[in-house]
Amino acid sequence: MPNIIFIAPLAAGKGTISEYLSKHLGYEHISTGDLFREIIKSGTSLGEEIKEIIAQGSLVDDDKTFQVLKQKLETLNNNQLFILDGYPRNINQAKLLNKLELNNIVVIFLNLDYDVAKKRALGRIICPNCKKTYNIYFDNLKPKVDNICDECHSKLEKRIDDTEETFKKRFNIYLEETREVISYYKDMNLLKEVNANQDINDVIKDVLKIVNGDKYDKY
Ligand code: AMP
């Protein structure tokens, strides 16, 4: 199976798909957003700086982001499969990543329409403890008890950047920045596209077809 880079707008289902692949296929899920949220929790001055940037819906600078990611990748065993979620976000980041000469990579582009992304992002609530994601606008994604995680019973939270204003900004940054990244990986023959407007189970099935030849029913 290949290592996976997801290129996707916010709320395309990356988190849910990654959780599935970690659980069933042993992938390590590396999300730069999660790495930053951990740094924010540490309460350091770097954390304060990053918190401010994220709350505004802007991007953390490329060198800082690359260092954080590189450090994380260095902790993995040689044969540990991984998913990159949220990196690269622009062409410069893709080129920095290329320097690491990672092999056995597939880049999966989760293509999602603006309106679907908006509904998913603004209704999203997340468990800060186990990271399970819910959505108050979709009946099949609501928690059983309002605001409480089904799995670990922690109180669910809204992300600081899931507001209408930051949504618009983040989606537009995504469109501008990733256009080049997509053609970069297309030229390298690494890109596969999946329609992320579908129900999440169908998106997972399409991703599995790419990753392990459609062994979805097995689970
Ligand atoms: P995410 O959880 O991937 O939506 O990321 C949340 C926020 O973290 C983003 O809006 C950015 O501010 C920051 N972030 C995550 N990944 C990156 C990246 N590759 N480059 C720059 N900033 C990032």
Side-chain angles (χ1 to χ4, degrees):
M1 289 186 296
N3 295 302
I4 301 170
I5 296 176
F6 278 126
I7 307 281
L10 51 158
K14 276 176 305 178
T16 309
I17 302 165
S18 301
E19 187 188 313
Y20 183 96
L21 295 172
S22 309
K23 204 162 160 187
H24 297 286
L25 300 176
Y27 276 87
E28 171 93 15
H29 175 204
I30 303 175
S31 148
T32 40
D34 282 349
L35 294 176
F36 286 143
R37 282 182 281 275
E38 289 299 316
I39 296 173
I40 291 173
K41 269 195 200 145
S42 71
T44 56
S45 58
L46 175 65
E48 283 301 312
E49 199 185 312
I50 290 174
K51 185 176 177 184
E52 187 92 342
I53 295 168
I54 292 187
Q56 287 168 2
S58 305
L59 290 181
V60 179
D61 85 68
D62 289 348
D63 288 333
K64 215 170 271 158
T65 305
F66 182 62
Q67 286 313 319
V68 167
L69 174 68
K70 189 163 168 272
Q71 266 174 26
K72 177 68 189 179
L73 285 170
E74 281 165 1
T75 66
L76 301 186
N77 292 332
N78 272 348
N79 50 5
Q80 173 63 56
L81 289 168
F82 59 85
I83 297 166
L84 293 192
D85 163 0
Y87 192 100
R89 279 246 208 333
N90 58 41
I91 191 70
N92 185 39
Q93 292 188 1
K95 288 180 177 165
L96 285 170
L97 185 67
N98 203 34
K99 285 193 188 158
L100 297 182
E101 299 185 342
L102 302 172
N103 50 32
N104 193 22
I105 295 279
V106 65
V107 180
I108 301 182
F109 168 39
L110 299 171
N111 200 354
L112 183 68
D113 294 341
Y114 180 89
D115 289 340
V116 182
K118 185 172 168 185
K119 196 169 165 197
R120 287 188 189 165
L122 299 188
R124 176 159 68 176
I125 40 176
I126 297 176
C127 175
N129 180 40
C130 73
K131 307 274 186 305
K132 194 170 163 60
T133 304
Y134 301 84
N135 195 302
I136 54 169
Y137 295 142
F138 296 89
D139 284 342
N140 59 339
L141 295 176
K142 284 180 185 164
K144 292 194 184 95
V145 179
D146 276 0
N147 264 316
I148 301 294
C149 178
D150 295 350
E151 307 274 324
C152 71
H153 311 293
S154 303
K155 195 169 182 301
L156 300 173
E157 291 176 355
K158 209 169 159 56
R159 284 173 38 159
I160 49 171
D161 48 354
D162 278 340
T163 64
E164 189 151 357
E165 196 185 330
T166 50
F167 167 80
K168 212 189 242 170
K169 182 167 172 186
R170 291 168 73 212
F171 201 91
N172 286 332
I173 293 181
Y174 160 80
L175 284 182
E176 275 166 36
E177 303 270 17
T178 51
R179 205 169 285 131
E180 257 185 311
V181 178
I182 288 165
S183 59
Y184 177 76
Y185 285 123
K186 209 180 239 171
D187 290 347
M188 290 169 93
N189 246 333
L190 295 177
L191 196 84
K192 304 272 183 196
E193 182 170 334
V194 168
N195 174 8
N197 297 305
Q198 311 175 84
D199 179 272
I200 188 69
N201 287 303
D202 294 320
V203 179
I204 291 176
K205 279 185 194 170
D206 284 353
V207 168
L208 285 171
K209 266 184 220 156
I210 295 167
V211 172
N212 73 346
D214 197 18
K215 295 195 185 135
Y216 183 73
D217 290 338
K218 200 171 105 188
Y219 310 108

